[in-house]
Amino acid sequence: MRLAAQVVDLTKFYDLGSVVVKALRGVSTDFPEGDFVAVMGSSGSGKSTLLNLLGALDRPTSGQYFLGGRDVSTLDDDELSAMRNDMIGFIFQSFNLIAQYSVLENIEVPLLYRAGYPPIGRAEREWCLELANMVGLGDRTDHRPFQLSGGQQQRVSIARALVNDPQIILADEPTGNLDSTTEAEIMDILHKLNEDGRTIIMVTHEPSIARQTKRQITMKDGLIENETLIKQSIPTR
């Protein structure tokens, strides 16, 4: 079994002066390639902190995080940024689209942060158009976010997350702002991505969404309270 990511005795403390908040207090777990994990827990349980560390958006206080077999703690900021851009795609509850950019331009954003900042070429633009078509927005590539529904904006964020062909997709409440019909459509896209072999780690408050994944991690007080296997993981791509 190959691992997409692994955390070993991970801690994250925030020194607020009068008090130290222990957001993570020693978390260890594996994320096999092709896994689809729901991370659950009440507010303050540590699930968002864990997702931020998995996304290399923050560094742990102690412990180890292995991404694609590499110890993230050994990387400098530039190496970490490059690895994050190449290996991880992000999907956010609030979409985080750039208001003045078109659908196509929003999808292209991660390409702008490559080492050396090379211009976007014809083949890459065609790939972005292909992604727009894949998420059902091929006829809206010139639209701005305010011209799209919430579900359509989330589709843009999914396409943007895929533009660098990442191994891991981190999704923070990806269906939290959507109606039930659109929620089902977004989950269908995530299932298809997982069936293609991508590893998906998703924070959610919704038990009905968590039940659609392969594994559920429940967190409490900065620790993993339990892990539940829902479905057997598929082979890696």
Side-chain angles (χ1 to χ4, degrees):
M1 177 183 67
R2 295 193 301 176
L3 298 179
Q6 180 186 40
V7 294
V8 181
D9 200 23
L10 209 62
T11 72
K12 182 62 181 181
F13 300 163
Y14 296 97
D15 189 347
L16 304 182
S18 60
V19 65
V20 176
V21 176
K22 298 182 177 181
L24 292 182
R25 300 190 293 122
V27 172
S28 298
T29 192
D30 297 338
F31 298 96
E33 290 187 353
D35 208 355
F36 192 169
V37 186
V39 182
M40 301 190 73
S42 60
S43 178
S45 63
K47 60 186 184 300
S48 294
T49 301
L50 177 60
L51 201 70
N52 284 339
L53 293 177
L54 290 172
L57 299 173
D58 199 358
R59 291 183 182 269
T61 302
S62 65
Q64 292 178 292
Y65 171 32
F66 296 93
L67 177 60
R70 295 183 67 185
D71 186 346
V72 171
S73 66
T74 66
L75 305 178
D76 63 28
D77 288 345
D78 288 342
E79 291 172 326
L80 188 61
S81 178
M83 193 173 193
R84 178 174 59 237
N85 199 46
D86 290 343
M87 297 189 64
I88 300 173
F90 296 91
I91 303 171
F92 303 97
Q93 179 180 2
S94 55
F95 318 132
N96 287 9
L97 303 179
I98 299 174
Q100 64 268 33
Y101 280 15
S102 68
V103 165
L104 184 61
E105 289 168 335
N106 268 285
I107 294 172
E108 292 172 346
V109 164
L111 298 175
L112 304 176
Y113 292 94
R114 296 166 298 175
Y117 304 101
I120 295 171
R122 180 177 177 179
E124 290 170 320
R125 181 143 289 147
E126 289 177 353
W127 167 235
C128 292
L129 287 168
E130 184 179 333
L131 289 172
N133 281 307
M134 188 201 78
V135 298
L137 294 175
D139 59 344
R140 289 177 167 81
T141 55
D142 292 330
H143 285 53
R144 299 296 188 268
F146 74 89
Q147 298 173 300
L148 305 175
S149 68
Q152 289 170 332
Q153 291 185 62
Q154 192 61 290
R155 288 169 182 266
V156 177
S157 72
I158 291 172
R160 179 186 59 194
L162 295 173
V163 74
N164 281 328
D165 194 24
Q167 296 179 17
I168 299 173
I169 295 174
L170 300 180
D172 189 4
E173 297 281 359
T175 62
N177 288 332
L178 307 176
D179 60 66
S180 57
T181 299
T182 309
E183 172 186 285
E185 293 171 352
I186 295 301
M187 286 303 297
D188 184 56
I189 293 174
L190 293 179
H191 282 299
K192 289 177 180 176
L193 293 173
N194 182 242
E195 288 167 2
D196 286 340
R198 298 182 193 274
T199 303
I200 301 177
I201 304 171
M202 175 179 64
V203 165
T204 182
H205 282 99
E206 303 171 75
S208 61
I209 294 296
R211 285 194 293 270
Q212 297 181 48
T213 65
K214 295 175 179 176
R215 186 161 60 100
Q216 181 176 319
I217 293 175
T218 303
M219 300 193 66
K220 182 177 181 180
D221 298 330
L223 293 167
I224 292 178
E225 185 176 40
N226 60 65
E227 297 188 46
T228 304
L229 183 65
I230 301 173
K231 299 177 183 178
Q232 184 63 43
S233 295
I234 62 173
T236 60
R237 58 175 174 162

